[in-house]
Coordinates of all heavy atoms in Angstrom, one line a residue:
S1 N -24.1 -21.6 67.6 CA -24.4 -22.7 66.6 C -24.4 -22.2 65.2 O -24.7 -22.9 64.2 CB -25.6 -23.5 66.9 OG -26.7 -22.6 66.9
G2 N -24.3 -20.9 65.0 CA -24.2 -20.3 63.6 C -23.0 -20.6 62.8 O -22.0 -21.1 63.3
P3 N -23.0 -20.3 61.5 CA -21.9 -20.7 60.6 C -20.6 -20.1 61.0 O -19.5 -20.9 61.0 CB -22.3 -20.1 59.2 CG -23.8 -20.1 59.3 CD -24.1 -19.7 60.8
F4 N -20.6 -18.8 61.4 CA -19.2 -18.3 61.7 C -18.6 -18.9 63.0 O -17.5 -19.2 63.1 CB -19.3 -16.7 62.0 CG -18.1 -16.1 62.4 CD1 -17.1 -15.9 61.4 CD2 -17.8 -15.7 63.6 CE1 -15.8 -15.3 61.7 CE2 -16.7 -15.1 64.0 CZ -15.7 -14.9 63.1
A5 N -19.5 -19.1 64.1 CA -19.0 -19.7 65.2 C -18.6 -21.2 65.0 O -17.5 -21.6 65.6 CB -20.1 -19.7 66.3
L6 N -19.3 -21.9 64.1 CA -18.9 -23.3 63.9 C -17.5 -23.3 63.2 O -16.6 -24.1 63.5 CB -19.8 -23.9 62.8 CG -21.2 -24.2 63.5 CD1 -22.2 -24.7 62.4 CD2 -21.1 -25.3 64.6
L7 N -17.2 -22.3 62.2 CA -15.9 -22.2 61.6 C -14.8 -21.8 62.6 O -13.8 -22.4 62.6 CB -16.0 -21.2 60.5 CG -16.8 -21.5 59.3 CD1 -17.0 -20.3 58.4 CD2 -16.3 -22.6 58.5
G8 N -15.1 -20.8 63.4 CA -14.1 -20.3 64.2 C -13.7 -21.2 65.4 O -12.6 -21.0 66.0
T9 N -14.6 -22.1 65.8 CA -14.2 -23.0 66.8 C -13.6 -24.4 66.2 O -12.7 -24.9 66.8 CB -15.4 -23.4 67.7 OG1 -16.5 -23.9 66.8 CG2 -15.9 -22.2 68.5
T10 N -14.1 -24.8 65.1 CA -13.6 -26.1 64.5 C -12.2 -25.9 64.0 O -11.4 -26.8 64.2 CB -14.6 -26.5 63.4 OG1 -15.9 -26.7 63.8 CG2 -14.0 -27.8 62.8
W11 N -11.9 -24.8 63.4 CA -10.5 -24.6 62.8 C -9.5 -24.9 63.9 O -8.5 -25.7 63.8 CB -10.4 -23.3 62.2 CG -9.3 -23.3 61.1 CD1 -9.5 -23.3 59.8 CD2 -7.9 -23.2 61.3 NE1 -8.2 -23.4 59.1 CE2 -7.2 -23.2 60.0 CE3 -7.1 -23.1 62.5 CZ2 -5.9 -23.2 59.9 CZ3 -5.7 -23.1 62.3 CH2 -5.1 -23.1 61.0
P12 N -9.4 -24.1 65.0 CA -8.4 -24.3 66.0 C -8.5 -25.7 66.7 O -7.5 -26.2 67.1 CB -8.6 -23.2 67.0 CG -10.0 -22.8 66.9 CD -10.4 -23.0 65.4
E13 N -9.7 -26.3 66.8 CA -9.8 -27.6 67.5 C -9.0 -28.7 66.6 O -8.5 -29.6 67.1 CB -11.2 -27.9 67.7 CG -11.8 -27.2 68.8 CD -13.3 -27.5 69.0 OE1 -13.8 -28.5 68.4 OE2 -14.1 -26.8 69.6
V14 N -9.1 -28.5 65.2 CA -8.5 -29.5 64.3 C -7.1 -29.1 64.1 O -6.2 -30.0 64.1 CB -9.3 -29.5 63.0 CG1 -8.6 -30.4 62.0 CG2 -10.7 -30.0 63.3
Y15 N -6.8 -27.8 63.9 CA -5.4 -27.5 63.4 C -4.6 -26.8 64.4 O -3.4 -26.4 64.1 CB -5.5 -26.5 62.2 CG -6.3 -27.2 61.0 CD1 -7.5 -26.8 60.5 CD2 -5.7 -28.3 60.4 CE1 -8.2 -27.4 59.5 CE2 -6.3 -28.9 59.3 CZ -7.5 -28.5 58.9 OH -8.2 -29.1 57.8
G16 N -5.1 -26.6 65.6 CA -4.2 -25.8 66.7 C -4.5 -24.4 66.7 O -5.3 -23.9 65.9
P17 N -3.9 -23.7 67.6 CA -4.2 -22.2 67.8 C -3.9 -21.4 66.7 O -2.9 -21.6 66.0 CB -3.4 -21.9 69.1 CG -2.3 -22.9 69.1 CD -2.9 -24.1 68.6
K18 N -4.7 -20.4 66.4 CA -4.5 -19.4 65.4 C -3.5 -18.4 65.9 O -3.3 -18.1 67.0 CB -5.8 -18.7 65.0 CG -6.8 -19.7 64.4 CD -8.2 -19.0 64.3 CE -8.8 -19.1 65.8 NZ -10.2 -18.8 65.7
G19 N -2.7 -17.8 65.0 CA -1.8 -16.8 65.4 C -2.2 -15.4 65.2 O -2.3 -14.7 66.3
Y20 N -2.6 -15.0 64.1 CA -3.1 -13.6 63.9 C -4.0 -13.5 62.6 O -4.1 -14.4 61.9 CB -1.9 -12.6 63.7 CG -1.0 -13.0 62.5 CD1 -1.2 -12.3 61.3 CD2 0.0 -13.9 62.5 CE1 -0.5 -12.5 60.2 CE2 0.8 -14.2 61.4 CZ 0.6 -13.5 60.3 OH 1.3 -13.8 59.1
G21 N -4.5 -12.3 62.4 CA -5.3 -12.0 61.3 C -5.6 -10.5 61.2 O -5.0 -9.8 62.0
F22 N -6.4 -10.1 60.3 CA -6.6 -8.6 60.1 C -8.0 -8.4 60.0 O -8.5 -7.8 59.0 CB -5.8 -8.2 58.9 CG -4.3 -8.4 59.0 CD1 -3.8 -9.5 58.5 CD2 -3.5 -7.5 59.7 CE1 -2.3 -9.8 58.6 CE2 -2.2 -7.7 59.8 CZ -1.5 -8.9 59.3
P23 N -9.0 -8.8 60.9 CA -10.3 -8.5 60.7 C -10.6 -7.0 61.0 O -9.9 -6.3 61.8 CB -11.0 -9.3 61.9 CG -9.9 -9.4 62.9 CD -8.6 -9.5 62.2
T24 N -11.7 -6.5 60.4 CA -12.2 -5.2 60.7 C -12.6 -5.2 62.1 O -13.0 -6.2 62.7 CB -13.3 -4.8 59.7 OG1 -14.4 -5.6 59.9 CG2 -12.8 -4.8 58.3
D25 N -12.8 -4.0 62.6 CA -13.4 -3.8 64.0 C -14.7 -4.5 64.1 O -15.0 -5.1 65.1 CB -13.5 -2.2 64.3 CG -14.0 -2.0 65.7 OD1 -13.2 -2.1 66.6 OD2 -15.2 -1.8 65.8
R26 N -15.6 -4.3 63.1 CA -16.9 -5.0 63.2 C -16.9 -6.5 63.3 O -17.5 -7.1 64.1 CB -17.8 -4.5 62.0 CG -19.2 -5.0 62.1 CD -20.0 -4.5 61.0 NE -19.6 -4.8 59.7 CZ -20.0 -6.0 59.0 NH1 -20.9 -6.8 59.6 NH2 -19.6 -6.3 57.9
H27 N -16.0 -7.0 62.5 CA -15.9 -8.5 62.4 C -15.2 -9.0 63.7 O -15.6 -10.1 64.2 CB -15.2 -8.9 61.1 CG -16.0 -8.7 59.9 ND1 -15.7 -7.9 59.0 CD2 -17.1 -9.5 59.4 CE1 -16.5 -7.9 58.0 NE2 -17.4 -8.9 58.2
F28 N -14.3 -8.2 64.1 CA -13.6 -8.7 65.4 C -14.6 -8.7 66.6 O -14.5 -9.7 67.4 CB -12.5 -7.7 65.7 CG -11.8 -8.0 67.0 CD1 -10.8 -8.9 67.1 CD2 -12.2 -7.4 68.2 CE1 -10.2 -9.2 68.4 CE2 -11.6 -7.6 69.4 CZ -10.6 -8.6 69.5
R29 N -15.5 -7.7 66.6 CA -16.4 -7.6 67.8 C -17.3 -8.8 67.7 O -17.7 -9.3 68.8 CB -17.2 -6.3 67.6 CG -16.4 -5.1 67.7 CD -15.6 -5.0 69.0 NE -14.8 -3.8 69.0 CZ -13.7 -3.6 69.8 NH1 -13.4 -4.5 70.7 NH2 -13.0 -2.5 69.7
V30 N -17.7 -9.2 66.6 CA -18.6 -10.5 66.5 C -17.8 -11.7 67.1 O -18.3 -12.5 67.9 CB -18.9 -10.8 65.1 CG1 -19.7 -12.1 65.0 CG2 -19.9 -9.7 64.5
A31 N -16.6 -11.9 66.6 CA -15.8 -13.1 67.1 C -15.5 -12.9 68.6 O -15.5 -13.9 69.3 CB -14.5 -13.1 66.3
E32 N -15.3 -11.7 69.1 CA -15.0 -11.5 70.5 C -16.3 -11.9 71.3 O -16.1 -12.5 72.4 CB -14.7 -10.0 70.8 CG -14.2 -9.7 72.2 CD -14.0 -8.3 72.3 OE1 -14.7 -7.3 71.8 OE2 -12.9 -7.9 73.0
K33 N -17.4 -11.4 70.8 CA -18.6 -11.8 71.6 C -18.9 -13.3 71.6 O -19.5 -13.8 72.6 CB -19.8 -11.0 70.9 CG -21.2 -11.3 71.6 CD -22.3 -10.4 70.8 CE -23.6 -10.7 71.5 NZ -24.7 -9.9 70.8

């Protein structure tokens, strides 16, 4: 329910699946979790 999770779930629900990006290892691990 935190800000990053709200963003990362709402974007694909509204606009469709994401293709790619270039997150750092640390930021990727957060999104993966």
